[in-house]
Amino acid sequence: MPQSQGTTNLSRGTLKLPLLEEVRRACRQVAEQADSVEIDTAAIDSYAAALPPDRLLQPEMEPAVHYLWHGRETVAYYFTLGAVNFGSGYFPEILTNHRKSGYRLIAAALTRHFAGYGPIPPENLRRMSLADCTRLFRLKFTNHAVQELMKLYTRALNDLGGFVCDRFDGDFSGVVEAAGRSVERLVQLLASMPLLDDRAHYRGMTVPFYKRAQLNAADLCIAFAGQGVGRFDDIDRLTICADNLVPHVLRQDGILRYRDDLAERIDRGEPLAAGSPEEVEIRTCSVYAGELLVEALQRRGVRVNAMTLDNFLWHRGQGTAYRARPRHLTRTTFY
């Protein structure tokens, strides 16, 4: 588990690194020895030059989907959404209309609840039942995928409720205050919940990602325009969020190359096991490619960071051309 001062031990050696620096180092180590995924480093500079700086510098939230501009209620919303911001490996079996986004479905359902009834008190999250959770997201038990995902969502919301009640006296804003304007500290706090303790194992190494914990910090920053509860003095410490959409965009755009057999499996819609070498390599290579792109953009004078690049790539991935081709599918609580 993350240690109290935001540092952890690398599994190879005794050097201690800040939590998010460990993410960077481990992802680079895996990317440099990966067998199934390769970064086309020669394409980095030209790709960076073609990205629109104005879009990169203006990360966005969708008002039609998210519960914005409600102060402390919006803080509660993003922590609640962050608890259930996973399930991409289940969505193809849940969504009958594949033009829809599973994430938008979940976020919009939560927004409707907040707009109609206000935030869900942490003590209620702690006690939430499977039936309560299913009603909240307006899903019916039509197949095993829905049942399995709703059980995981119920557990995630129970965990969040207990976390906020036991450690922050039932106050979501107390989590942000405890972080002290540090995304590093906020990620560390959130990663103490089991379903956010996002680490994999690869050739004897522990490889941390903390994707959802990092995204929770990024969402708060973007939703509050970097002010108030959205102000983090170390926001540049965040990395690309290693899920299945950002690497899909980078693959489509020619930055990531997959070995033929892996590419064929993904294109057939064949699931990849969580924590398998191929899945870990896809995630680590997307993080390291993100670092290379940020460096290339900064050399061009664009004041971008991994958070804003990630937001841009995620929204790019909503385009028709990207949605027309399968991305890798993995059933996991980490994305």
Side-chain angles (χ1 to χ4, degrees), residues 256-282:
L256 294 185
R257 294 197 296 245
Y258 296 175
R259 197 172 63 193
D260 288 347
D261 60 326
L262 174 60
E264 290 167 2
R265 290 171 61 194
I266 292 171
D267 292 343
R268 287 196 303 267
E270 181 180 326
L272 301 182
S276 64
E278 296 87 353
E279 191 247 2
V280 175
E281 289 179 6
I282 289 172

Side-chain angles (χ1 to χ4, degrees), residues 232-251:
F232 297 99
D233 296 335
D234 58 350
I235 196 68
D236 290 348
R237 302 293 303 147
L238 294 177
T239 73
I240 286 281
C241 290
D243 55 12
N244 71 338
L245 181 55
V246 169
H248 174 66
V249 172
L250 293 175
R251 178 194 176 197

Side-chain angles (χ1 to χ4, degrees), residues 53-76:
D54 56 331
R55 292 280 307 283
L56 288 167
L57 298 177
Q58 295 179 351
E60 58 182 308
M61 288 291 178
E62 298 172 280
V65 175
H66 300 103
Y67 190 71
L68 299 168
W69 311 307
H70 294 278
R72 293 169 71 92
E73 290 189 357
T74 295
V75 175

Side-chain angles (χ1 to χ4, degrees), residues 42 159 195 220 242:
D159 286 352
L195 299 189
L220 286 170

Side-chain angles (χ1 to χ4, degrees), residues 109-134:
L110 197 59
T111 294
R112 285 193 297 269
H113 182 92
F114 270 62
Y117 305 99
I120 306 171
E123 58 269 25
N124 290 3
L125 290 173
R126 179 182 233 166
R127 298 193 302 266
M128 182 172 284
S129 68
L130 177 60
D132 294 333
C133 186
T134 305

Side-chain angles (χ1 to χ4, degrees), residues 91 95 97 99-106 314 318 323:
F91 290 150
L95 299 174
N97 183 346
R99 290 175 296 178
K100 292 183 179 180
S101 158
Y103 167 77
R104 287 192 175 106
L105 177 74
I106 298 303
W314 189 90
Q318 304 307 311
R323 296 181 67 82

